[in-house]
Amino acid sequence: MDLNMLWFILITVLFTGYFFLEGFDYGVGTLLPFLGKNDSERRVIINTIGPFWDGNEVWLITAGGAIFAAFPNWYATLFSGFYMALFLMLLALIVRGVAFEFRSKDDRPAWRSLWDWLIFGGSLVPALLWGVAITNLIRGVPIAGNMQYAGTFWDLLSPYTLVGGLTTLLIFTLHGALFLTLKTEGEQLESARRAASLVSILAVPALLVLIILSYSHTDIFTNTGAGIVFWGALVTLLLACRLLRSGRYARAFIMNGLTIVCTTVAVFWGLFPRVMVSSLNPEWNLTVYNASSSPYTLKIMTIVALTLVPVVLLYQGWTYWIFRKRVTVKDLEY
């Protein structure tokens, strides 16, 4: 294994960790206005992800930094071609972060309701756009021979990519509902269970349609391993639904998490050794070799990553352990 391949795998791991962890943050935020019947219940819902959401976003920052340093040509083409989509995503994440901090600065119901709906929008938009972005990576976008994006924002939108966006939105929402079954009690737990059951009814056919459409819109199934893992995502989602209905919420959460992991791994596995597919000419594809930094840069990055990443993982694991208990109205400070 050369360093180019190693860094592609590390970036895959970073995005997999991000979608698994931030996925339930998106889901909780999307469900907030609907599962919180009053201010106390909404505060409980927000507090379930309060200690985690900003730490979970570190995975995205690290993944973006890794792409910038290890594959600068990929970074340049991706961020210029997907500029408007990524700007909207960044704006939504900023609004959501501000909303978490501002909603409790005033007791007026209208003030808190406004920020709650901004948390909803700041969670829904990224959950949708990530699916659009990922499906564009494997479908292919207009990249010219000079590695520059030759299309517009509207070239990123198609029935296939919109199905991808809807699928990630539903799976992340299900992830959030299952997370709430592990972090709340009583009526709120029951509300989360009902929401998870409803969303699961939509998530299964959405993922099935996405897989079927991927046969005609992408070539990732030419990689047998990627195809098996992609279908495995559907199997784990079905298992999550079954476990949910039997009341085994922790196992259902793990299975839905595996759905996210399998889907992400399948996409990157089917993409390799490419990092972006050119719909204009296969010879203009960006790969882990023509888009990478120098071998010396990759070597230095590897040393730094092997030194610091274990520390970050230990710290984040410690955070989840400390805040592992369920959150109830009794825990709120008035």
Side-chain angles (χ1 to χ4, degrees):
M1 181 187 299
D2 55 35
L3 291 180
N4 302 68
M5 185 184 302
L6 174 63
W7 272 97
F8 181 84
I9 293 173
L10 289 176
I11 290 171
T12 302
V13 171
L14 289 170
F15 273 108
T16 301
Y18 174 71
F19 291 141
F20 182 94
L21 297 173
E22 188 70 2
F24 64 73
D25 290 338
Y26 290 150
V28 170
T30 302
L31 292 169
L32 174 64
F34 308 104
L35 297 189
K37 298 177 182 177
N38 52 54
D39 183 65
S40 294
E41 290 189 357
R42 292 186 179 187
R43 287 177 64 190
V44 167
I45 292 172
I46 292 173
N47 285 358
T48 62
I49 60 173
F52 311 124
W53 69 268
D54 49 353
N56 293 341
E57 289 187 350
V58 172
W59 289 75
L60 175 61
I61 297 171
T62 306
I67 293 175
F68 172 77
F71 303 104
N73 291 322
W74 179 15
Y75 181 92
T77 304
L78 177 67
F79 278 75
S80 60
F82 290 25
Y83 179 83
M84 183 57 67
L86 293 174
F87 173 79
L88 291 174
M89 186 183 299
L90 179 61
L91 180 63
L93 292 174
I94 292 173
V95 168
R96 187 184 66 153
V98 171
F100 282 135
E101 299 296 330
F102 276 26
R103 78 170 303 276
S104 297
K105 300 302 182 182
D106 196 310
D107 293 334
R108 288 177 297 170
W111 171 272
R112 294 193 171 188
S113 178
L114 169 65
W115 293 110
D116 288 340
W117 281 105
L118 288 175
I119 291 173
F120 164 78
S123 301
L124 182 146
V125 170
L128 178 70
L129 290 180
W130 274 119
V132 174
I134 293 297
T135 46
N136 268 296
L137 284 182
I138 57 177
R139 181 196 64 159
V141 292
I143 300 174
N146 57 1
M147 295 188 181
Q148 292 188 5
Y149 182 78
T152 67
F153 170 76
W154 303 109
D155 292 321
L156 303 177
L157 302 179
S158 70
Y160 174 64
T161 59
L162 291 175
V163 168
L166 179 62
T167 302
T168 55
L169 173 61
L170 290 170
I171 291 177
F172 288 157
T173 304
L174 175 59
H175 207 41
L178 290 171
F179 181 77
L180 288 174
T181 64
L182 303 178
K183 297 292 290 183
T184 57
E185 294 180 348
E187 179 58 31
Q188 285 194 279
L189 188 156
E190 182 62 23
S191 297
R193 184 200 63 79
R194 290 194 298 266
S197 298
L198 177 60
V199 175
S200 67
I201 295 173
L202 302 174
V204 171
L207 181 58
L208 177 60
V209 170
L210 177 64
I211 294 174
I212 293 174
L213 289 177
S214 295
Y215 276 96
S216 58
H217 289 77
T218 76
D219 62 359
I220 66 170
F221 289 99
T222 57
N223 186 318
T224 304
I228 292 173
V229 174
F230 212 167
W231 280 105
L234 182 63
V235 173
T236 56
L237 181 58
L238 290 170
L239 288 174
C241 296
R242 182 174 180 180
L243 291 166
L244 169 64
R245 283 158 178 73
S246 64
R248 289 176 284 185
Y249 303 130
R251 294 183 182 181
F253 177 77
I254 293 172
M255 284 296 109
N256 191 70
L258 285 176
T259 299
I260 296 172
V261 171
C262 288
T263 303
T264 308
V265 170
V267 166
F268 279 92
W269 194 351
L271 196 59
F272 184 81
R274 304 163 298 179
V275 291
M276 290 188 75
V277 177
S278 172
S279 60
L280 302 178
N281 189 333
E283 295 182 358
W284 297 341
N285 292 339
L286 273 65
T287 70
V288 295
Y289 299 105
N290 66 13
S292 73
S293 295
S294 67
Y296 180 74
T297 300
L298 295 178
K299 181 178 179 180
I300 296 299
M301 288 177 58
T302 302
I303 296 172
V304 173
L306 292 178
T307 303
L308 298 180
V309 169
V311 177
V312 174
L313 292 176
L314 286 173
Y315 170 76
Q316 193 160 27
W318 175 82
T319 303
Y320 277 91
W321 174 255
I322 293 297
F323 295 100
R324 67 188 182 278
K325 295 183 179 180
R326 294 179 183 270
V327 181
T328 65
V329 176
K330 295 181 295 183
D331 300 316
L332 299 178
E333 295 183 2
Y334 291 92

